[in-house]
Amino acid sequence: MSNETLPQLQAPLTINWAINNSCNFACSHCYSREDTHEELPRDVLYSSLEKVAKAGVFSINFGGGEPLLHPHLLEIAAFASGLGLRVSMNSNGWLIDQAKAAELKQAGFTKVGISIDSHRAEVHDSFRGVKGSHARALAALDHLREAGITTSISTVICRINSTTIDELVAVALDKRVGQLNFHNFKCSGLGMANKDDLDLTPAEWKDFYRAAIAAKHTVKDLDISLDDPIIALLDARDAGTLVKGSVCGKLSLNIKANGDMTPCGFIPIVIGNIVRDDLRQVWKDSAVLEKMRNKQPTGKCSGCSKYDDCLGGCTARALALTGDMNSPDPHCWGN
Amino acid sequence: MDITKKIRRNPDVMWREEDEALAGVQDSLDRGEVVEDVGTAVLFSGGTMLSINYLGLEIWKLCENRSLDEVVQELLSQFEVDESVLREDVQAFLDELSQKGFILYE
């Protein structure tokens, strides 16, 4: 009665919503620094959230920019929560003290992810461009947990942290977070400009994922999440997963501060606008999403025995570096 | 498992019917076609997702303070099937839902 494959969904399950692009940090890998600073008025945002809820979306993950700099984040989250949407957020943690954590809980936030780039404060602070940010991020995790909000740590893997898995796991265990998310490095925004300094070689990615998968299997009381489709090359994708390749455009969608919809936060192709368009219609009819859902193997992907699981890896990375969604993921170490 | 225990859906599970798929299945059923492999709803909780077919959806919707026996009796009033076969299928499905934490027994 449960199926091996997923039907064509009528709407995304989750939406990553960058409600603002203002930020108090200056991260070396920021993908939205150059993005629009136009933001939807609160009443328009509310009606857009109603559309999203009506379409059947389960959850909203607010991002930015730094979402806590949005003057009405709490009211917006409470409104979304009142519509039955599960509300979460990604933050740098700088503005989360004990009182703010309690307010976030009150507003309906069930989960908050805090970005931590290194176990070493000076490395994190330098990468984020703000002295003291590491200490504030760690303190935020404590405040959130004490307020009853599930926490996670998000780490974008790059040259400053790829060999420090054990140390990052130790931080996560110490802070009793529910999940440690190791995100693959995307070449978008400043990530593209700084890729020569930050990105790993395919061989280094292989080494990282081997070690991360080993940690995932041995570390207890912590969910280590690896969202990169290319781990299929190491036979590490869950056998029961219903989605092959990237989940972007299959389970999730991105909405920008001005309402523009894109397949994910790292693919700058606008496929509609939540204010103007019908979400279900865009989800069903977008030629861009259709192409992402029906990728065709090219180059070394042709004939690769892992292609059915990996589907060419991260579409955003392939598009950013080659201009073609169907190109093999540049991080792939396969022959 | 005690078959007299009441079953209820875990409130943490987010789920929805897929309207178009469901309408298509209902048309297929009217034509007497097999619809077992067609997903009509998705369930999602804690990073685990499940796509369920028409019968799975009917069972899922009945998981509201009913025992296994009560779920089976409800289904027998809707479908012309052998009771022992149905009971076995329902039990297997509920075991899967329970193992994934999607339902709770009280």
Side-chain angles (χ1 to χ4, degrees):
Chain A
M1 282 170 233
S2 58
N3 300 100
E4 297 294 316
T5 56
L6 196 66
Q8 169 59 55
L9 298 177
Q10 65 198 18
L13 300 185
T14 189
I15 285 183
N16 296 306
W17 202 318
I19 54 168
N20 61 317
N21 279 317
S22 48
C23 191
N24 46 354
F25 279 23
C27 304
S28 305
H29 63 335
C30 181
Y31 62 91
S32 62
R33 183 57 47 88
E34 304 302 322
D35 221 333
T36 175
H37 279 255
E38 181 193 347
E39 293 173 12
L40 297 178
R42 191 160 30 152
D43 58 332
V44 178
L45 201 46
Y46 281 5
S47 59
S48 300
L49 283 165
E50 285 173 333
K51 286 171 81 170
V52 163
K54 196 174 169 195
V57 172
F58 289 158
S59 57
I60 303 282
N61 184 50
F62 289 114
E66 168 53 44
L68 281 163
L69 289 176
H70 193 291
H72 305 300
L73 174 70
L74 295 173
E75 298 97 309
I76 292 162
F79 183 80
S81 188
L83 294 171
L85 292 159
R86 200 74 57 93
V87 179
S88 61
M89 170 175 68
N90 276 20
S91 166
N92 58 38
W94 182 264
L95 295 170
I96 302 176
D97 57 13
Q98 190 179 24
K100 182 62 75 180
E103 289 173 358
L104 291 170
K105 175 73 175 173
Q106 184 71 25
F109 280 96
T110 56
K111 187 173 175 181
V112 174
I114 300 293
S115 298
I116 292 184
D117 299 304
S118 173
H119 64 291
R120 293 173 56 198
E122 65 275 22
V123 175
H124 174 97
D125 289 2
S126 168
F127 192 73
R128 296 256 146 197
V130 178
K131 198 166 170 42
S133 58
H134 190 262
R136 295 270 286 252
L138 293 180
L141 289 168
D142 288 334
H143 295 313
L144 290 163
R145 190 187 66 251
E146 285 159 11
I149 295 175
T150 301
T151 56
S152 64
I153 290 176
S154 290
T155 304
V156 176
I157 298 303
C158 59
R159 197 154 292 289
I160 67 166
N161 55 30
S162 66
T163 59
T164 62
I165 293 170
D166 291 347
E167 292 86 347
L168 288 163
V169 166
V171 172
L173 289 171
D174 181 53
K175 292 296 161 189
R176 288 180 274 162
V177 304
Q179 198 170 48
L180 174 58
N181 301 296
F182 287 141
H183 296 295
N184 63 66
F185 182 82
K186 312 286 197 313
C187 298
S188 303
L190 288 180
M192 176 65 106
N194 293 324
K195 76 178 174 56
D196 291 343
D197 294 331
L198 295 174
D199 204 358
L200 311 183
T201 65
E204 288 169 329
W205 279 110
K206 183 181 182 183
D207 291 342
F208 165 75
Y209 279 124
R210 273 193 170 152
I213 290 161
K216 185 177 172 65
H217 289 149
T218 54
V219 176
K220 308 292 179 204
D221 302 323
L222 178 65
D223 176 16
I224 297 176
S225 169
L226 307 168
D227 62 2
D228 195 331
I230 63 172
I231 62 173
L233 270 75
L234 298 172
D235 295 323
R237 296 213 90 195
D238 291 339
T241 186
L242 295 175
V243 177
K244 307 299 183 188
S246 166
V247 301
C248 304
K250 298 170 192 165
L251 302 182
S252 63
L253 195 68
N254 184 69
I255 297 182
K256 292 155 65 120
N258 64 357
D260 281 349
M261 294 184 272
T262 61
C264 84
F266 304 98
I267 296 182
I269 304 176
V270 177
I271 59 173
N273 185 287
I274 191 63
V275 181
R276 182 184 68 232
D277 299 315
D278 181 85
L279 174 58
R280 281 197 188 186
Q281 209 68 46
V282 171
W283 182 254
K284 185 179 174 188
D285 294 342
S286 163
V288 175
L289 296 185
E290 176 70 13
K291 188 171 181 185
M292 290 176 68
R293 293 166 186 155
N294 297 285
K295 288 173 73 174
Q296 301 299 318
T298 65
K300 67 180 181 182
C301 289
S302 303
C304 175
S305 63
K306 305 298 182 187
Y307 187 79
D308 286 349
D309 275 334
C310 159
L311 296 180
C314 174
T315 306
R317 216 159 41 210
L319 181 66
L321 290 175
T322 74
D324 182 359
M325 289 182 181
N326 285 320
S327 292
D329 187 327
H331 284 179
C332 175
W333 54 84
N335 294 317
Chain B
M1 187 206 64
D2 183 349
I3 61 167
T4 64
K5 279 190 173 177
K6 299 289 187 184
I7 306 158
R8 68 178 173 89
R9 297 193 289 265
N10 184 335
D12 289 338
V13 176
M14 298 178 280
W15 68 283
R16 75 178 183 216
E17 296 178 4
E18 293 293 316
D19 302 340
E20 285 185 24
L22 197 51
V25 162
Q26 276 155 350
D27 288 345
S28 298
L29 283 172
D30 291 343
R31 293 193 296 269
E33 295 170 0
V34 176
V35 293
E36 271 181 22
D37 294 336
V38 183
T40 58
V42 283
L43 320 182
F44 188 80
S45 181
T48 303
M49 186 166 52
L50 206 59
S51 166
I52 58 177
N53 69 13
Y54 184 75
L55 183 54
L57 175 58
E58 290 303 311
I59 295 169
W60 173 251
K61 289 194 288 189
L62 289 170
C63 290
E64 225 176 21
N65 204 32
R66 288 183 177 85
S67 66
L68 168 66
D69 197 49
E70 287 168 331
V71 170
V72 170
Q73 293 309 315
E74 286 278 354
L75 291 169
L76 281 172
S77 68
Q78 296 176 45
F79 299 98
E80 287 182 28
V81 286
D82 178 80
E83 181 172 346
S84 62
V85 173
L86 178 66
R87 184 176 294 276
E88 202 171 302
D89 286 350
V90 172
Q91 179 70 74
F93 182 55
L94 292 177
D95 285 348
E96 181 182 1
L97 292 177
S98 176
Q99 184 259 326
K100 291 183 189 311
F102 284 19
I103 57 167
L104 306 165
Y105 288 96
E106 293 182 333

